[in-house]
């Protein structure tokens, strides 16, 4: 266990017992956190006859168009487990446990229950009768390697909803224990995290506020607690060396995680649901050296949106990686890059060196053709986009979407001038296996002779079992050059 925590005394860190192989979180008692009575979920050690341990199942709003209510449960485990799901009023028929690539099989137990085994951590959607709007989300996390006991000590603040001294220089740990925390009289209902500080949200903690990381370094936001209906989840602006891990964000009014002009940031094992316009998952503007790993984002706007200049952030974008994740866009794109930039500069900003790998996209639903890309590279505002890679991406289904959308655009709603050129975009090992909905043709288009597209590689692209061998079904214009199909 890492005992170096930006100055927090080791006495306030303790390892989980070797016997704690399955961790069930304390129940949340709050009228705003509504339990979902359609499901009961239980876990126990795999292959044993031990008693089942029940998880709390809460309701989460999904899909801005229908305002549907899905369900969520989660736990930690460091060994294989058996899971049992009981349903109430829902027949156990036509069951899918997704991502399908996980290959999880189940055993039906009567008419209203099933069991299955998990050998490792997973982020799953369990669907009955084809219902993707009232489904059950199950998150099996690794057991936390680092946790806290909530004891007072030098530099430690135990949040009690009236804490005001987090800006004192020796603050090294802010602890949110199990229960509901709704800070009072804070501007914009946000908590500003000081430099060299760790924020820990314990399992069962619900924080009804935004966490703001602004112009600081060496900040960590960790734990298994939830941010519940904040203005934003976590905002990281002009900061560096930031680590966000393990938390869940439920229905923010705006982005789940926002980054502006920030460097060396890691986001890991974050789970999120949103149901409003502009409630994107992770949005980055002029950021560098980010790693987003093992996240689950179900959003009612773009899951991932990475841009250059917007608002008061400048400086281009480079060296971003998203990997080992699950995306679900009830509205808009799963992945969207390049849209905003500095249109007032002479050459525009550069967006380069971005990789998306090993990602499952469960669904994309978008009825506006301007925003139909499952994977979208659409640059505006003089942006130059280059060296972007999409690899090992599995798309399960789409409604009214395009698998790939590469364009230099002028979008009158968001841009003041067209984008610049697009260079060296690679799609490798991409599969789409849809069961319904309409998939529109892939699209690659430049804007004019100068603001064009070139160096596109489409390698091992498979659509409904058919390997792509040429571009005859791709919509292209005369401003596209050097497209290779392999």
């Amino acid at each position: 266990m890492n005992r170096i925590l930006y100055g927090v005394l080791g006495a306030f860190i303790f390892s989980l017992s070797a016997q704690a192989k399955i961790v069930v979180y304390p129940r949340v008692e709050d009228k705003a956190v509504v339990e979902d009575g359609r499901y009961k979920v239980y876990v126990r050690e795999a292959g044993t006859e031990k008693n089942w341990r029940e998880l709390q199942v809460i309701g989460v709003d999904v899909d801005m168009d229908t305002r549907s209510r899905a369900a969520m449960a989660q736990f930690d485990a460091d060994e294989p487990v058996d899971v049992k799901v009981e349903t109430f009023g829902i027949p156990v028929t036509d069951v899918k446990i997704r991502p399908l690539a996980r290959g999880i099989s189940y055993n039906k137990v009567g008419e209203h229950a099933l069991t299955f085994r998990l050998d490792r951590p997973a982020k799953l959607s369990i669907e009955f009768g084809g219902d993707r709007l009232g489904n059950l989300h199950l998150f099996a996390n690794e057991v936390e390697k680092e946790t806290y006991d909530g004891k007072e000590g030098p530099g430690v603040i135990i949040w009690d909803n009236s804490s005001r001294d987090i800006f004192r220089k020796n603050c090294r740990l802010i602890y949110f224990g199990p229960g509901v925390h709704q800070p009072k009289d804070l501007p914009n209902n946000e908590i500003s995290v000081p430099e060299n500080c760790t924020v820990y949200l314990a399992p069962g903690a619900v924080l009804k506020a935004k966490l703001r990381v602004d112009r600081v370094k060496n900040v960590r936001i960790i734990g298994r607690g939830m941010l519940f209906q904040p203005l934003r989840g976590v905002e990281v602006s002009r900061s560096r060396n930031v680590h966000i891990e393990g938390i869940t964000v439920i229905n923010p009014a705006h982005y789940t995680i926002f980054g502006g002009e920030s460097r060396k940031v890691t986001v890991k094992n974050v789970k999120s649901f949103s149901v409003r316009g502009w409630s994107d998952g992770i949005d980055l503007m002029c950021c560098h050296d980010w790693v987003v790993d093992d996240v689950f984002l179900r959003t009612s706007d773009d899951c991932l949106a990475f841009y250059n200049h917007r608002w008061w952030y400048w400086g281009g974008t480079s060296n971003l990686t998203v990997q080992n994740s699950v995306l679900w866009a009830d509205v808009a794109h799963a992945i969207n890059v390049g849209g905003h930039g500095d249109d007032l500069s002479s050459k525009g900003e550069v967006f380069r060196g971005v990789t998306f790998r090993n990602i499952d996209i469960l669904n994309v639903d978008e009825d506006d053709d301007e925003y139909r890309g499952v994977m979208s590279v659409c640059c505006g505002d003089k942006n130059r986009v280059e060296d972007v890679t999409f690899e090992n991406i599995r798309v399960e289904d789409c409604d009214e979407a395009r698998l790939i959308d590469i364009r230099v655009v002028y979008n009158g709603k968001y841009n003041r001038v067209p984008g610049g050129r697009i260079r060296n975009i690679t799609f490798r090992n991409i599969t789409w296996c849809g069961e319904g909905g309409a998939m529109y043709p892939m699209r690659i288009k430049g804007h004019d002779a100068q603001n064009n597209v070139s160096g596109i590689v489409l390698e091992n692209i498979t659509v409904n079992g058919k390997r792509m061998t040429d571009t005859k079904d791709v919509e292209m214009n005369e401003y596209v050059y050097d497209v290779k199909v392999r």
Side-chain angles (χ1 to χ4, degrees), residues 27 35-42 54-57 69 71 84-93 95 109-114 126 128 131 134-136:
R27 299 183 70 85
E35 295 198 35
D36 194 304
R38 295 169 297 176
Y39 304 101
K40 285 187 178 294
V41 183
Y42 306 86
E54 185 175 358
L55 311 180
Q56 185 176 28
V57 181
R69 176 60 64 93
K84 180 169 67 171
V85 178
E86 294 180 351
T87 65
F88 295 84
I90 303 173
V92 178
T93 58
V95 178
V109 182
E111 296 300 316
H112 295 281
L114 59 80
I126 306 170
F128 300 89
D131 183 6
N135 62 313
L136 169 67

Side-chain angles (χ1 to χ4, degrees), residues 17-213:
S17 166
Q19 301 301 314
K21 295 184 177 182
I22 298 176
V23 180
V24 174
Y25 306 165
R27 299 183 70 85
V28 176
E29 303 292 344
D30 183 75
K31 63 181 181 180
V33 181
V34 179
E35 295 198 35
D36 194 304
R38 295 169 297 176
Y39 304 101
K40 285 187 178 294
V41 183
Y42 306 86
V43 295
R44 68 182 181 190
E45 294 177 27
T48 71
E49 296 300 321
K50 292 186 177 181
N51 291 334
W52 291 101
R53 301 179 64 186
E54 185 175 358
L55 311 180
Q56 185 176 28
V57 181
I58 69 170
V60 290
D61 293 332
V62 298
D63 188 34
M64 179 174 64
D65 292 338
T66 63
R67 299 289 300 194
S68 298
R69 176 60 64 93
M72 180 202 75
Q74 57 181 321
F75 65 98
D76 296 356
D78 62 2
E79 66 172 1
V81 299
D82 289 330
V83 177
K84 180 169 67 171
V85 178
E86 294 180 351
T87 65
F88 295 84
I90 303 173
V92 178
T93 58
D94 187 21
V95 178
K96 288 185 175 60
I97 301 177
R98 303 193 299 137
L100 299 176
R102 291 297 300 261
I104 297 174
S105 60
Y106 66 92
N107 296 309
K108 188 174 178 181
V109 182
E111 296 300 316
H112 295 281
L114 59 80
T115 61
F116 59 89
R117 180 163 296 177
L118 291 178
D119 294 322
R120 55 192 173 94
K123 294 173 173 60
L124 305 176
S125 170
I126 306 170
E127 300 158 12
F128 300 89
D131 183 6
R132 295 187 175 184
L133 297 176
N135 62 313
L136 169 67
H137 303 83
L138 181 65
F139 304 133
N141 303 293
E142 293 181 344
V143 171
E144 292 179 275
K145 295 180 175 63
E146 178 184 308
T147 186
Y148 300 85
D149 57 11
K151 293 181 179 178
E152 293 280 3
V156 177
I157 292 177
I158 310 302
W159 194 274
D160 63 0
N161 291 339
S162 61
S163 300
R164 291 292 183 273
D165 54 354
I166 65 172
F167 297 105
R168 66 191 188 194
K169 292 183 179 180
N170 67 340
C171 175
R172 294 294 180 263
L173 172 66
I174 305 172
Y175 175 86
F176 292 91
V180 178
H181 305 272
Q182 189 162 13
K184 301 175 182 178
D185 303 322
L186 288 176
N188 299 319
N189 197 34
E190 65 182 30
I191 296 172
S192 292
V193 182
E195 194 161 286
N196 302 320
C197 185
T198 289
V199 177
Y200 180 70
L201 282 78
V206 175
L207 173 58
K208 297 182 177 181
K210 176 178 79 173
L211 294 172
R212 184 169 184 244
V213 181

Side-chain angles (χ1 to χ4, degrees), residues 137-409:
H137 303 83
L138 181 65
F139 304 133
N141 303 293
E142 293 181 344
V143 171
E144 292 179 275
K145 295 180 175 63
E146 178 184 308
T147 186
Y148 300 85
D149 57 11
K151 293 181 179 178
E152 293 280 3
V156 177
I157 292 177
I158 310 302
W159 194 274
D160 63 0
N161 291 339
S162 61
S163 300
R164 291 292 183 273
D165 54 354
I166 65 172
F167 297 105
R168 66 191 188 194
K169 292 183 179 180
N170 67 340
C171 175
R172 294 294 180 263
L173 172 66
I174 305 172
Y175 175 86
F176 292 91
V180 178
H181 305 272
Q182 189 162 13
K184 301 175 182 178
D185 303 322
L186 288 176
N188 299 319
N189 197 34
E190 65 182 30
I191 296 172
S192 292
V193 182
E195 194 161 286
N196 302 320
C197 185
T198 289
V199 177
Y200 180 70
L201 282 78
V206 175
L207 173 58
K208 297 182 177 181
K210 176 178 79 173
L211 294 172
R212 184 169 184 244
V213 181
D214 182 51
R215 302 173 192 268
V216 296
K217 61 185 178 180
N218 304 335
V219 165
R220 304 170 78 237
I221 298 170
I222 61 174
R224 294 290 186 264
M226 296 190 293
L227 300 180
F228 191 79
Q229 297 180 349
L231 177 63
R232 286 179 181 166
V234 180
E235 181 175 311
V236 184
S237 57
R238 297 187 175 93
S239 297
R240 62 188 298 131
N241 296 338
V242 178
H243 186 95
I244 305 166
E245 182 172 355
I247 65 173
T248 303
V249 182
I250 304 295
N251 293 331
H254 212 220
Y255 309 144
T256 291
I257 293 176
F258 170 76
E261 272 187 56
S262 294
R263 293 178 177 269
K264 295 186 178 180
V265 178
T266 299
V267 179
K268 186 173 183 180
N269 189 25
V270 168
K271 290 77 62 176
S272 171
F273 299 90
S274 74
V275 73
R276 308 185 193 191
W278 297 285
S279 61
D280 299 15
I282 300 176
D283 271 36
L284 306 182
M285 298 165 193
C286 295
C287 287
H288 307 267
D289 306 321
W290 281 58
V291 176
V292 177
D293 185 23
D294 188 27
V295 301
F296 178 98
L297 305 173
R298 183 171 186 179
T299 60
S300 283
D301 212 320
D302 300 335
C303 294
L304 303 170
F306 298 167
Y307 305 129
N308 283 332
H309 163 69
R310 197 179 189 193
W311 301 323
W312 41 88
Y313 302 104
W314 287 266
T317 295
S318 68
N319 194 26
L320 311 179
T321 299
V322 180
Q323 60 190 12
N324 310 322
S325 295
V326 181
L327 307 179
W328 185 331
D330 285 311
V331 179
H333 312 86
I335 301 171
N336 178 29
V337 302
H340 299 284
D342 184 2
D343 63 289
L344 298 179
S345 64
S346 59
K347 293 184 178 180
E349 295 177 317
V350 178
F351 182 104
R352 66 156 60 97
V354 179
T355 299
F356 304 91
R357 67 162 71 97
N358 192 31
I359 294 173
D360 290 283
I361 299 175
L362 302 191
N363 197 23
V364 170
D365 186 354
E366 175 55 53
D367 57 7
D368 188 331
D369 194 47
E370 184 64 35
Y371 312 106
R372 275 191 175 137
V374 176
M375 292 168 281
S376 172
V377 180
C378 290
C379 72
D381 289 339
K382 295 185 180 180
N383 282 335
R384 288 168 288 152
V385 178
E386 50 194 56
D387 302 330
V388 179
T389 299
F390 301 81
E391 60 184 356
N392 301 326
I393 295 179
R394 300 161 292 276
V395 182
E396 294 195 6
D397 209 353
C398 296
D399 296 301
E400 300 185 297
R402 297 178 186 268
L403 183 64
I404 294 170
D405 190 16
I406 305 171
R407 288 178 294 142
V408 180
V409 300

